Amino acid sequence: MPSKLPKLVMIFIFFTTSANAWRPWANQMFEGSKRFEGSSELVDMKYHMGPVLTDENITIYPIWYGKWGKSQKMIIRDFINSISAVNNKAPSVSGWWKTVQLYTDQTGANISRNVFLGHDKNDRFYSQGKSLTRLTVQKVIKNAVNSRSKPLPINPKTGVYLLLTSDDVYVQDFCQGACGFHYFTFPSIVGYTLPYAWIGNSAKLCPGVCAYPFAVPNFMPKLRSVKSPNDDVGVDGMISVIAHELAEVATNPLDNAWFAGSDPVFPVEIADLCEGIYGTGGGGSYTGQMLNGVDGATYNMHGIRRRFLVQWVWNHMVNYCTGPNALDQ
Ligand SMILES: *[C@@H]1O[C@H](CO)[C@@H](O)[C@H](O)[C@H]1NC(C)=O
Ligand SMILES: *[C@@H]1O[C@H](CO)[C@@H](O)[C@H](O)[C@H]1NC(C)=O
């Protein structure tokens, strides 16, 4: 369960309420003895015996809520398709996913290598309005799997339902505590227990918060934003949050598998620990080394047709955050 809050708020939240973390400031509390890509002996990433997504394939079902442009959908689809693509230039999105694949269940089965795009669904007319709560989010998913025309498949074992809200939609805690979150649906609302994630387009509401570093927060006037790789600040900012949530859904789909801390109500998951880290040396308020294209865009990995900027994830084998360079080959 992620999110993003400024440093001071963050430290408070981290220890009191949860997994909430914010991009550039998230790892500040670990900058004690040895600060290296978030490394810390204090982090106790543990397996709590629950299921993780280890089947041959993981299927992602996007639900496009509100107004979405074709080119916006294309950026997100390309990113998801890049996760198991084989021929992309390194550092690649598939190289990044290899850190996630290091996690296993109790039988020793690894997280799936294959992440595929399944059917998707449009909710163009804001079926639950323009302000969603954690409960109405589940109603959106319910509609998508119960729809009379082309419902999404019910796939509790290997499916991940990805609710993507357009830039005119507010979701509970958006901008104040979260840029996205993942959880599972309740049978009493949806009829099934389905792992899902929500990610919002922050372009209008809080790009400085949820699309950092493509936009910077107003309260930090000294920070400069960087150019986004696909010319869409909101969607380029969503990519890293989508990656964050998918890494966590895969390793902790029912909130009883991989997380640090002792409280499953506020788990600190594998992406929470690396928020704001995009490259070597990252930690504290430093993003780490990123790449710059000839067009001036900032990114850190290649995917199908495009480049992306994606945060790193916690590697429990070495106890620090790793990115595509570590295992890409
Ligand atoms: C996984 O996906 C591949 C490629 O689409 C397919 O051939 C295979 O049958 C799938 N495996 C399962 C268990 O569904
Ligand atoms: C599976 O996980 C183990 C660690 O538990 C790791 O050593 C191995 O490299 C992983 N396999 C893949 C394909 O990532």
Side-chain angles (χ1 to χ4, degrees):
M1 290 207 176
S3 33
K4 293 101 229 278
L5 285 178
K7 182 171 66 191
L8 294 175
V9 184
M10 173 56 210
I11 288 169
F12 172 76
I13 298 251
F14 196 94
F15 292 112
T16 54
T17 71
S18 96
N20 291 343
W22 264 35
R23 296 274 164 90
W25 312 284
N27 292 278
Q28 204 76 4
M29 76 284 295
F30 295 128
E31 73 187 337
S33 49
K34 177 174 157 236
R35 193 179 82 193
F36 174 62
E37 275 115 62
S39 74
S40 174
E41 264 102 72
L42 297 177
V43 174
D44 187 19
M45 180 55 65
K46 266 217 279 273
Y47 178 54
H48 298 258
M49 305 311 269
V52 300
L53 303 186
T54 59
D55 269 50
E56 186 180 355
N57 305 323
I58 295 171
T59 306
I60 311 292
Y61 304 104
I63 301 167
W64 308 96
Y65 192 87
K67 281 197 201 70
W68 285 92
K70 254 194 194 136
S71 62
Q72 295 182 310
K73 288 181 170 178
M74 197 59 96
I75 297 169
I76 292 173
R77 287 186 178 127
D78 282 350
F79 175 72
I80 293 168
N81 283 324
S82 297
I83 297 175
S84 19
V86 283
N87 291 322
N88 290 312
K89 199 169 142 191
S92 68
V93 177
S94 53
W96 166 84
W97 185 254
K98 285 187 179 164
T99 298
V100 182
Q101 286 174 247
L102 293 175
Y103 289 83
T104 56
D105 66 10
Q106 34 178 316
T107 72
N110 292 73
I111 301 291
S112 323
R113 180 192 172 297
N114 299 326
V115 178
F116 296 134
L117 203 48
H119 293 288
D120 58 4
K121 193 84 196 151
N122 292 296
D123 192 325
R124 277 191 201 93
F125 304 110
Y126 309 87
S127 66
Q128 305 297 315
K130 289 192 176 177
S131 179
L132 304 176
T133 64
R134 296 212 174 198
L135 292 181
T136 55
V137 154
Q138 296 206 16
K139 292 198 175 152
V140 175
I141 296 168
K142 175 189 176 171
N143 291 342
V145 298
N146 287 333
S147 165
R148 264 189 229 147
S149 88
K150 300 195 189 150
L152 292 181
I154 308 288
N155 182 356
K157 207 165 153 243
T158 68
V160 176
Y161 298 78
L162 193 63
L163 173 60
L164 304 163
T165 50
S166 56
D167 61 9
D168 52 350
V169 175
Y170 176 76
V171 176
Q172 189 176 347
D173 298 329
F174 196 14
C175 299
Q176 285 97 46
C179 301
F181 58 75
H182 76 90
Y183 207 60
F184 48 85
T185 61
F186 301 131
S188 58
I189 299 177
V190 177
Y192 311 88
T193 302
L194 305 171
Y196 76 89
W198 157 73
I199 294 93
N201 184 336
S202 66
K204 288 194 181 133
L205 294 174
C206 59
V209 170
C210 292
Y212 181 90
F214 306 131
V216 295
N218 296 332
F219 58 83
M220 302 187 93
K222 285 195 184 143
L223 288 179
R224 301 236 333 255
S225 60
V226 299
K227 185 175 175 337
S228 83
N230 300 291
D231 280 326
D232 187 319
V233 167
V235 174
D236 274 318
M238 288 176 82
I239 295 294
S240 192
V241 187
I242 291 172
H244 177 131
E245 299 307 329
L246 292 182
E248 294 185 342
V249 157
T251 51
N252 197 26
L254 302 182
D255 202 11
N256 58 8
W258 286 96
F259 59 90
S262 52
D263 187 351
V265 177
F266 303 111
V268 178
E269 302 170 284
I270 73 163
D272 293 325
L273 290 164
C274 306
E275 219 159 321
I277 297 181
Y278 300 93
T280 305
S285 56
Y286 176 50
T287 56
Q289 280 171 27
M290 303 184 285
L291 301 168
N292 282 301
V294 286
D295 59 348
T298 295
Y299 65 100
N300 67 350
M301 55 188 77
H302 298 270
I304 293 170
R305 280 190 290 266
R306 306 165 187 281
R307 301 156 303 173
F308 301 101
L309 182 69
V310 174
Q311 68 152 89
W312 289 10
V313 289
W314 189 256
N315 181 328
H316 65 307
M317 313 288 278
V318 293
N319 266 335
Y320 51 81
C321 304
T322 53
N325 293 313
L327 305 155
D328 213 350
Q329 231 59 260

